[in-house]
Amino acid sequence: MSLADRLAARALELVDIPSESRGEAPLAAHALGVLRDGGVDVRDAGDSCVLAGATERGDRPLVLLAGHFDTVPEQGNLPGRRDDEAVHGLGAADMKGAVAVMLELAIAAPAATLDLGYVLFPREELPFGQSALTPLLEREPGLREADLVVVMEPTANAIHAGCLGNVNATWTFHGRSGHSARPWLADNAIHRAAKGVLAVAEVGPVPHDFDGLRFTEVVSVTRIAGGIAGNVIPGEAVATVNYRYAPGRSAADAEAWLHELCDPYGTLVIEGNAPSAPVAVGNPLAQRLIATGDLAVEAK
């Protein structure tokens, strides 16, 4: 079997193991078994986390490859399938294809001039405070000694330096319920929501240059719900807003900007805010990998 076929088969195998956030345990157990069967030094790190290879720094530089097990909810995309070009299915791109690469690389154990470790964890798709990664780093202080960590999100073989910040917020629109036969006696919360959603939709992508890289800020309404019956004017509607902001903007500034956009239409409550990561193109080890691997550097 060719390398491409082996990687595709492994990716499809992983896709077909459902692992929606908080349901990653079966996939974590499967990955643990695959690595053990492949002769890899691997261990269960608790909370559906799996660690393999080097997990603390020794005499050589420590490079960690990191990835998450979980996916967003299913949308009619299970089981997966393969065609001549790609593997398709829930989580194939984000990020079971990359997890497949990590498993196969760990089993192959290529010769290297550095120590290589693998970090697999759950609940990345949930708000920042619910991820298993922060508690894992507290339990495993050796991981924080790494000289370089590459998060293996699919990037078309480009190293994406830095990362956008991520705000999730609940946006509630308040009206007054009434009968749909007399709508002028009520105040339609969904109509209020429509005006707010339109205002967000009119905010296009905004490029920001930071430390030689271009990042694109975007804001989106990702969920909306309201109404209790077909003949009742809704008194409340609720939406979810997601805002991705560039390095150089503080978490507080990002929240203030989102409030300025949304507050005229409804009540905005910030549910989570993962600050933008610092740009890291100056890391000497990263520069060496870029040079030897012929990899481009882009913003994400």
Side-chain angles (χ1 to χ4, degrees):
M1 183 182 293
S2 70
L3 176 59
D5 285 338
R6 190 165 70 248
L7 286 172
R10 182 70 73 191
L12 188 57
E13 170 187 290
L14 300 180
V15 165
D16 285 344
I17 302 174
S19 57
E20 183 179 337
S21 299
R22 300 195 183 282
E24 305 94 336
L27 181 58
H30 179 78
L32 195 64
V34 166
L35 292 170
R36 282 175 176 163
D37 291 345
V40 178
D41 179 16
V42 60
R43 59 190 170 93
D44 181 345
D47 195 18
S48 295
C49 297
V50 174
L51 298 179
T55 56
E56 59 184 21
R57 202 184 193 288
D59 295 331
R60 304 193 303 178
L62 173 61
V63 174
L64 299 177
L65 304 184
H68 62 87
F69 285 128
D70 60 323
T71 71
V72 297
E74 180 183 355
Q75 303 175 76
N77 47 358
L78 280 179
R81 60 181 176 86
R82 180 187 176 188
D83 59 24
D84 292 338
E85 300 294 330
V87 172
H88 305 266
L90 179 58
D94 187 9
M95 58 172 293
K96 292 184 177 182
V99 172
V101 171
M102 293 172 65
L103 298 183
E104 292 299 320
L105 185 61
I107 292 170
T113 59
L114 46 78
D115 291 328
L116 192 58
Y118 303 84
V119 181
L120 293 159
F121 59 96
R123 302 197 300 279
E124 189 270 351
E125 298 289 355
L126 298 181
F128 175 68
Q130 299 178 42
S131 171
L133 184 57
T134 299
L136 176 64
L137 293 175
E138 293 172 353
R139 298 194 306 272
E140 300 282 346
L143 298 176
R144 301 199 298 267
E145 300 172 357
D147 297 276
L148 177 68
V149 179
V150 180
V151 179
M152 298 283 286
E153 293 268 0
T155 56
N157 288 330
I159 293 178
H160 287 193
C163 185
L164 293 168
N166 182 15
V167 179
N168 284 297
T170 298
W171 196 10
T172 303
F173 305 90
H174 306 280
R176 185 175 65 256
S177 185
H179 201 287
S180 61
R182 299 290 186 272
W184 58 87
L185 299 177
D187 182 356
N188 196 316
I190 290 180
H191 291 182
R192 286 179 173 268
K195 294 177 182 178
V197 170
L198 181 60
V200 170
E202 290 176 346
V203 179
V206 180
H208 285 268
D209 292 327
F210 185 79
D211 203 11
L213 295 173
R214 172 155 290 190
F215 297 82
T216 302
E217 292 194 344
V218 289
V219 59
S220 306
V221 175
T222 56
R223 299 179 72 178
I224 189 164
I228 62 170
N231 61 344
V232 177
I233 300 298
E236 181 179 278
V238 180
T240 300
V241 183
N242 182 258
Y243 173 40
R244 305 295 176 118
Y245 61 96
R249 187 192 289 273
S250 72
D253 285 345
E255 293 184 18
W257 182 89
L258 193 59
H259 272 291
E260 182 179 353
L261 174 64
C262 297
D263 284 353
Y265 305 96
T267 302
L268 189 78
V269 176
I270 304 297
E271 304 292 350
N273 188 349
S276 55
V279 174
V281 293
N283 184 303
L285 190 54
Q287 291 179 334
R288 193 178 93 193
L289 289 175
I290 293 166
T292 59
D294 194 26
L295 298 175
V297 177
E298 302 176 358
K300 182 178 182 183

